[in-house]
Amino acid sequence: MATRTAAKSSTSNGSPVPLGSQPFLQSVNQYFDKAAAFLDHPKGLIDQIRVCNSVYYMQFPVRIKGDIQVVQAWRAEHSHHKLPCKGGIRYAETVDQEEVEALAALMTYKCAVVDVPFGGGKGGIKINPKHYTVEELERITRRYTVELIKKNFIGSSVDVPAPDYGTGAREMAWIADTYQTFEKENINALACVTGKPVGQGGVRGRTAATGRGLYFAVREAVNDTALMKRLKMATGLADKAIIVQGFGNVGYHAAKFLQEGGGTIIGIIEWDGAIVNPKGIDVEALNEHRMQTGSITGFANGKTVKDGMSVMEMECDILVPAALESQIHNGNADRIKAKIIAEGANGPITAVAEEVLLKKGIYVMPDMYVNAGGVIVSYFEWLKNISHVRFGRMDKRFEEGSNTRLIDTVERLTGKSLTMQERTFVARGADEEDIVNSGLEDTMISAYHAIVNISNRDPRIKDMRTAAFINSIDKIAQSYLLLGIFP
Ligand code: NAD
């Protein structure tokens, strides 16, 4: 495999792109091949699972500042073994077909690993959103949606986008509104996209879901006594030193929940610099500072480090790359000193770099599992949209009544009474966010143990990513076999 020494350049949005590092799609396929070698499915079936089923490349005109600009965009549907396809939409200058295909493939494997019954998809528009006004971004987003509609690349039963790097609830609301304009008679039109604002058919808990899911994944790992013994670490999150790269949706929420869970956030890295404080960074205060100044740099309660990438190489217990792909490559892998890496971003470690990390004894928790919280809760949002009722609406009051009757019975039988505060706490019925967060937690915990059980079954499977890929590929293969396509 051809790899060159990595050097850094900077795109105009400030994101350092490691030059010469392994291409993203090649990296994903290398991970896939490594795992597929442990399975004895027919070669044709494995090939079918690996390839991208369809890609739509489009170029469309948009009026920008009085001129016409031709915008390039893609939507890839990696797998149709389950429908709809599901995956985010990215706005970045680095977007190209290979990146979209790699991300779509990861979505297929991710959905399978956490039992979300979707195929993988991904979309991207090759723009730097920072260069456009909100009105221009809206025009680009709506035009992109129309292109998807024209080619049947969007719809609640076909392909359902979501937010990704450079997009959020605002863009998802524009997509939903455009789609609904064309699909007035379609009662499930709102389910054409997830990650919408709650007032526009979104689900409570979606925005924080990926970071929250990452926290559940890390919590499971640090409470795994066998793993902690192997890594010579104390169990639990308390006092674990954590560094997070990327302070966007995933990175901010991951840092927040890891801190609330007892971890110490000693470094946060953004494209224009990093903040370091060995005693711990107050995540909420840093977020406040960023909102006021537009940057994390200059934060009073920590040291600003201009070369943010150097902070990735600092000693820590847990490193969370949550910005972009290929951040740990063959040019810096040997300098990484973390004991555990939890991939918040998609593809932050190239396959070649991972071999270096594994040799150093670093435990890598793969993106396809660790950052699956977003798609898990997107699935819940889609279910809410097609069932047309908020979670908890039908049973919250009934549950509270049952709990109250139970408390009354216990009090009568024991002769003791709960305080009003205790009674309210115990009797409370679950609302939408409770149900969503509980479903997310349960899925992340079950998936962790399913993956770890695979490595426990076969001593040749030494890393978590290979185990996760085996779990995923096997489920997709079974699905194809049940469809009757491969006799
Ligand atoms: P985002 O746009 O909200 O945040 C990304 C952050 O990374 C931004 O603050 C950006 O300034 C920063 N950044 C960019 N280049 C950087 C660099 N070189 N060093 C440090 N920081 C840098 O995006 P997001 O939604 O948080 O997505 C981040 C990653 O997580 C992507 O790989 C995405 O595919 C993946 N992901 C996102 C979700 C989701 O629900 N949003 C779900 C799964 C995976």
Side-chain angles (χ1 to χ4, degrees):
M1 176 165 315
T3 49
R4 281 175 282 138
T5 314
K8 277 181 234 153
S9 75
S10 209
T11 61
S12 54
N13 68 354
S15 304
V17 176
L19 290 178
S21 87
Q22 189 178 16
F24 189 14
L25 184 58
Q26 189 188 82
S27 191
V28 173
N29 285 336
Q30 188 175 328
Y31 289 137
F32 179 97
D33 294 341
K34 183 176 170 187
F38 286 94
L39 293 161
D40 54 9
H41 294 298
K43 181 177 175 309
L45 176 52
I46 292 294
D47 289 346
Q48 172 56 31
I49 295 170
R50 191 180 189 266
V51 295
C52 185
N53 288 179
S54 29
V55 191
Y56 176 27
Y57 169 52
M58 62 208 95
Q59 300 184 82
F60 50 82
V62 184
R63 194 172 290 281
I64 305 286
K65 302 184 205 340
D67 250 339
I68 300 288
Q69 187 182 325
V70 179
V71 175
Q72 283 181 289
W74 290 262
R75 182 75 190 170
E77 292 178 354
H78 174 262
S79 181
H80 294 146
H81 75 287
K82 299 248 181 227
L83 285 171
C85 290
K86 189 88 194 77
I89 295 180
R90 174 175 288 202
Y91 289 2
E93 275 177 332
T94 48
V95 167
D96 60 20
Q97 184 158 330
E98 269 209 20
E99 182 185 77
V100 173
E101 281 191 31
L103 289 163
L106 274 178
M107 283 305 297
T108 296
Y109 311 137
K110 189 181 300 186
C111 288
V113 106
V114 291
D115 290 333
V116 167
F118 294 149
K122 204 76 181 192
I125 305 185
K126 197 178 182 61
I127 54 162
N128 180 344
K130 292 195 178 92
H131 293 170
Y132 297 89
T133 63
V134 172
E135 199 188 304
E136 289 162 354
L137 285 173
E138 179 173 351
R139 232 176 283 146
I140 294 170
T141 307
R142 288 187 183 275
R143 180 61 202 250
Y144 176 66
T145 311
V146 173
E147 293 295 327
L148 296 178
I149 295 169
K150 281 200 301 202
K151 290 280 188 287
N152 199 24
F153 266 71
I154 186 169
S156 59
S157 56
V158 181
D159 191 345
V160 181
D164 190 70
Y165 186 91
T167 59
R170 180 185 67 182
E171 286 75 14
M172 302 307 117
W174 293 333
I175 292 173
D177 184 56
T178 310
Y179 185 81
Q180 278 187 306
T181 310
F182 284 82
E183 292 276 324
K184 284 194 293 290
E185 299 296 317
N186 181 350
I187 192 147
N188 291 326
L190 259 188
C192 73
V193 66
T194 59
K196 302 179 290 290
V198 173
Q200 294 294 332
V203 74
R204 287 161 186 83
R206 171 61 182 90
T207 308
T210 308
R212 192 188 292 273
L214 183 146
Y215 160 67
F216 291 138
V218 169
R219 189 187 65 186
E220 221 44 35
V222 295
N223 286 329
D224 181 337
T225 42
L227 176 66
M228 289 301 103
K229 200 167 156 208
R230 201 174 101 203
L231 298 176
K232 300 190 179 55
M233 293 171 84
T235 50
L237 251 188
D239 295 328
K240 292 275 183 305
I242 302 166
I243 295 175
V244 179
Q245 184 205 31
F247 200 48
N249 178 302
V250 179
Y252 159 69
H253 286 105
K256 172 181 146 80
F257 294 121
L258 287 167
Q259 183 166 65
E260 285 172 9
T264 307
I265 310 295
I266 62 161
I268 294 187
I269 309 164
E270 258 294 324
W271 65 273
D272 56 346
I275 296 296
V276 174
N277 184 347
K279 294 206 179 92
I281 297 163
D282 181 336
V283 174
E284 282 307 336
L286 181 62
N287 191 36
E288 197 62 34
H289 168 85
R290 200 252 304 262
M291 287 204 291
Q292 276 165 18
T293 65
S295 170
I296 63 165
T297 60
F299 180 57
N301 188 20
K303 194 175 107 193
T304 297
V305 178
K306 270 251 144 269
D307 176 14
M309 281 306 277
S310 66
V311 175
M312 296 269 285
E313 297 166 16
M314 276 175 47
E315 221 150 282
C316 66
D317 295 306
I318 303 166
L319 174 63
V320 180
L324 278 173
E325 59 265 21
S326 308
Q327 296 300 300
I328 301 175
H329 43 80
N330 58 339
N332 63 1
D334 60 340
R335 297 197 299 273
I336 301 291
K337 296 178 197 75
K339 298 187 179 84
I340 297 175
I341 302 179
E343 294 186 321
N346 284 309
I349 303 175
T350 66
V352 170
E354 186 173 71
E355 292 304 321
V356 179
L357 300 173
L358 295 177
K359 275 199 193 100
K360 282 164 63 109
I362 297 174
Y363 190 69
V364 178
M365 302 184 68
D367 47 7
M368 60 189 289
Y369 162 61
V370 170
N371 71 27
V375 76
I376 294 167
V377 174
S378 274
Y379 171 44
F380 300 158
E381 181 176 331
W382 180 82
L383 288 173
K384 174 185 178 176
N385 293 154
I386 61 172
S387 57
H388 303 274
V389 62
R390 162 170 53 81
F391 294 113
R393 178 167 178 179
M394 305 293 282
D395 41 11
K396 181 179 162 74
R397 190 62 59 162
F398 181 81
E399 208 184 312
E400 284 177 359
S402 306
N403 292 345
T404 305
R405 283 191 293 280
L406 188 65
I407 295 168
D408 289 344
T409 310
V410 172
E411 283 183 342
R412 187 171 44 78
L413 292 175
T414 61
K416 291 181 178 159
S417 311
L418 297 185
T419 64
M420 204 50 198
Q421 203 184 6
E422 286 166 338
R423 178 174 266 274
T424 313
F425 179 72
V426 178
R428 186 174 168 276
D431 59 26
E432 180 166 271
E433 195 158 358
D434 298 317
I435 295 170
V436 164
N437 290 343
S438 148
L440 170 63
E441 184 171 6
D442 184 58
T443 309
M444 292 304 292
I445 293 174
S446 309
Y448 179 86
H449 293 285
I451 297 167
V452 168
N453 282 344
I454 287 180
S455 354
N456 289 346
R457 273 207 314 259
D458 186 339
R460 292 171 306 153
I461 304 164
K462 300 202 189 317
D463 61 283
M464 191 178 188
R465 191 188 313 274
T466 303
F469 261 99
I470 291 173
N471 173 301
S472 172
I473 296 169
D474 201 31
K475 282 181 191 161
I476 301 166
Q478 296 303 337
S479 165
Y480 270 117
L481 291 168
L482 290 171
L483 283 173
I485 292 175
F486 290 89

